[in-house]
Amino acid sequence: MPSGTRLFLGLSILASSLVSTKAVTYTLSQDLSGDKFFDGFKFNESAIDSNNFGNVHFLSQSAAQAANLSFVDSNGRVILKVDNTTNGAGDPSFGRNTIYLESNELMNIGSLLIFDANHIPFGCSVWPSLFTQGQVWPQQGEIDVIEQVNLATENRYSLHVGVDNCNQPISVASNQTGTISTANGDISNCTVTPTTGQNTVGCVTTETKSNSFGSGFASQGGGVYAMLWDESGIAMWYFARGSVPSDIGTSASPDPTTWGEASAWYPASGCNPSTAFGPQIITLYIDICGAFAGVDSVFAQTCSSVAPNCTSLVPDPSNYDNAYWEINYLRVYTNGQSNSSSSSASGSGTSSGSGASSTGSSSSSSGSSNSAFALAVTSIWDYLLIPVSASFLGMLAIL
Ligand SMILES: *[C@@H]1O[C@H](CO)[C@@H](O)[C@H](O)[C@H]1NC(C)=O
Ligand SMILES: *[C@@H]1O[C@H](CO)[C@@H](O)[C@H](O)[C@H]1NC(C)=O
Ligand SMILES: *[C@@H]1O[C@H](CO)[C@@H](O)[C@H](O)[C@H]1NC(C)=O
Ligand SMILES: *[C@@H]1O[C@H](CO)[C@@H](O)[C@H](O)[C@H]1NC(C)=O
Ligand SMILES: *[C@@H]1O[C@H](CO)[C@@H](O)[C@H](O)[C@H]1NC(C)=O
Ligand SMILES: *[C@@H]1O[C@H](CO)[C@@H](O)[C@H](O)[C@H]1NC(C)=O
Ligand SMILES: *[C@@H]1O[C@H](CO)[C@@H](O)[C@H](O)[C@H]1NC(C)=O
């Protein structure tokens, strides 16, 4: 006991000095841009979900290339778009050709995703998303980085999970710049019940910085979205082109601790980032109408002056001239942290051991013994902090 206490004190002093400088090093694990972008993804022509998706046909890679829906433009940027040449007038079941991409590699906890784009699809009836999802939904969770519809101008962030007790405490309002849009009492509930379709919206935080979606995003020259998923929780940032932190796109190891408050922050105290999520498939698509853009009340919010309903827009190809992604790059960095919940039993007594041993399996990322040691300490530090903040929140709830 006494030696454990001394170890604890020594480690916490060391941990706080490391945390306050730079405890975690990120190493590039996927760098997808230009022609190489397409090596990182498969086109899923069978991603059909009649309850969710609208008036679309997702194409195979060869069909999308032949139809000029996916290509690299003369500036080296990746274009992914909806067909805006086919006239569907007179066909009552007309569905427009578009794309649904899923990454070949799974993203693990301890990852930082950075996405730099000049244009996000928009327009009445258009529903784009950049998100990650587990291989089993919703049991392995979903993280929505970019998702909005129609002529909205502010992005929405959300989580969708299958486990119970995954929420965003409304107390994070002071730790994020975005606004919680799905508050219910003192939480925003991230748990979905797939059999009943309850709470499919998840726990939504809405961006408050301007031009995070729509024509304004494109006219300012685009910007960058970032998502950090580690044992402390899930954080997401949006930066307009003129406000991108200097280490993004330039540094071999960007440092999110220097970027300021995130737009959306889902701390581990509300939702366990190890057990609510499995390894994630990065997903990029453009849908039309369906269970979000096509909902009459949602459609009317920004498009009531354009058309009486969503589906009436689909046959006219000129409605889709802005329905395209223009992507500079998508990068994934890892911090070498592995899933400590999967090794041995959980519990405070053994967690420091599993945190330390987890760095042993991270040899693929950083070879530096300094960063491996920093990671081990950070893992222990995280374990000590999480129960404290959880019980502190519990006390606040009682008061
Ligand atoms: C395509 O999506 C469907 C439906 O979501 C899924 O069942 C299937 O596994 C996916 N195919 C590939 C190749 O990922
Ligand atoms: C594909 O579309 C782009 C812009 O939409 C255009 O510049 C290009 O010429 C088209 N390529 C082909 C082969 O049609
Ligand atoms: C919010 O930020 C404060 C001050 O940095 C910190 O003490 C607290 O732990 C944070 N809370 C959450 C839930 O992240
Ligand atoms: C969150 O939503 C799920 C699904 O509707 C429900 O089962 C659960 O009880 C809710 N949790 C809270 C704390 O309200
Ligand atoms: C972490 O491990 C737990 C327990 O085995 C598992 O349920 C979860 O899916 C894993 N999460 C990740 C991100 O690998
Ligand atoms: C949508 O609007 C069109 C044009 O007014 C109308 O013909 C069609 O019946 C409407 N569809 C639905 C599903 O309400
Ligand atoms: C389709 O959209 C692209 C990209 O916005 C645009 O360059 C092109 O002119 C449009 N095609 C037609 C036939 O309008």
Side-chain angles (χ1 to χ4, degrees):
M1 265 305 187
S3 68
T5 308
R6 274 201 303 278
L7 179 63
F8 161 71
L9 285 174
L11 283 175
S12 26
I13 290 159
L14 187 54
S16 47
S17 61
L18 284 168
V19 166
S20 64
T21 55
K22 187 180 174 186
V24 179
T25 301
Y26 291 93
T27 310
L28 189 63
S29 74
Q30 284 196 77
D31 186 3
L32 303 175
S33 65
D35 288 319
K36 276 196 308 180
F37 186 88
F38 297 105
D39 297 342
F41 289 95
K42 51 181 168 280
F43 286 61
N44 191 340
E45 69 216 273
S46 346
I48 295 160
D49 175 352
S50 54
N51 293 323
N52 205 17
F53 296 134
N55 303 69
V56 288
H57 297 302
F58 296 117
L59 298 191
S60 67
Q61 181 160 12
S62 55
Q65 278 167 352
N68 203 15
L69 302 190
S70 70
F71 58 94
V72 176
D73 75 8
S74 55
N75 297 309
R77 299 184 182 116
V78 173
I79 308 292
L80 299 167
K81 64 194 284 282
V82 171
D83 165 28
N84 67 333
T85 60
T86 307
N87 189 332
D91 175 358
S93 62
F94 182 71
R96 200 158 277 289
N97 289 339
T98 173
I99 50 88
Y100 188 109
L101 269 59
E102 296 182 40
S103 63
N104 292 323
E105 284 190 30
L106 296 171
M107 203 179 78
N108 276 292
I109 189 163
S111 293
L112 171 66
L113 181 155
I114 300 184
F115 180 74
D116 184 317
N118 288 3
H119 194 283
I120 296 172
F122 69 92
C124 290
S125 79
V126 177
W127 171 10
S129 186
L130 167 68
F131 69 103
T132 73
Q133 57 182 324
Q135 291 164 291
V136 186
W137 192 94
Q139 285 79 0
Q140 295 188 332
E142 170 183 337
I143 304 168
D144 299 340
V145 183
I146 301 174
E147 185 167 38
Q148 254 300 9
V149 292
N150 302 321
L151 297 180
T153 58
E154 294 162 330
N155 182 46
R156 287 156 59 102
Y157 308 93
S158 187
L159 306 183
H160 306 265
V161 309
V163 298
D164 223 337
N165 300 316
C166 169
N167 57 64
Q168 186 183 32
I170 60 159
S171 59
V172 304
S174 58
N175 295 59
Q176 64 172 27
T177 60
T179 306
I180 296 175
S181 303
T182 45
N184 181 7
D186 58 2
I187 62 154
S188 173
N189 191 343
C190 310
T191 302
V192 298
T193 312
T195 46
T196 62
Q198 271 180 294
N199 190 30
T200 50
V201 174
C203 43
V204 177
T205 280
T206 302
E207 182 56 67
T208 50
K209 295 182 189 168
S210 56
N211 300 330
S212 54
F213 194 82
S215 62
F217 179 83
S219 58
Q220 75 186 0
V224 169
Y225 277 90
M227 187 268 281
L228 175 59
W229 169 34
D230 68 15
E231 296 205 345
S232 67
I234 294 168
M236 296 190 256
W237 289 262
Y238 153 67
F239 303 108
R241 179 62 64 207
S243 312
V244 179
S246 58
D247 63 346
I248 288 184
T250 56
S251 169
S253 181
D255 182 2
T257 64
T258 64
W259 296 348
E261 217 164 63
S263 295
W265 168 229
Y266 298 91
S269 59
C271 183
N272 186 322
S274 305
T275 56
F277 300 89
Q280 298 284 295
I281 303 164
I282 302 166
T283 310
L284 193 59
Y285 74 70
I286 316 172
D287 193 8
I288 296 172
C289 296
F292 190 6
V295 173
D296 285 342
S297 59
V298 173
F299 182 79
Q301 281 169 16
T302 55
C303 292
S304 58
S305 65
V306 175
N309 58 52
C310 192
T311 51
S312 63
L313 293 173
V314 184
D316 180 350
S318 72
N319 291 321
Y320 300 94
D321 288 353
N322 277 305
Y324 65 96
W325 295 99
E326 183 181 330
I327 299 164
N328 291 307
Y329 63 80
L330 186 154
R331 293 186 182 140
V332 180
Y333 300 80
T334 59
N335 69 11
Q337 214 180 48
S338 70
N339 181 2
S340 57
S341 299
S342 61
S343 54
S344 74
S346 61
S348 54
T350 57
S351 60
S352 58
S354 68
S357 68
S358 69
T359 59
S361 62
S362 68
S363 51
S364 62
S365 52
S366 162
S368 149
S369 58
N370 277 342
S371 65
F373 182 58
L375 279 170
V377 173
T378 306
S379 300
I380 296 164
W381 185 240
D382 285 344
Y383 271 100
L384 292 168
L385 267 183
I386 290 160
V388 170
S389 57
S391 54
F392 179 65
L393 288 172
M395 280 169 62
L396 281 182
I398 291 162
L399 298 169

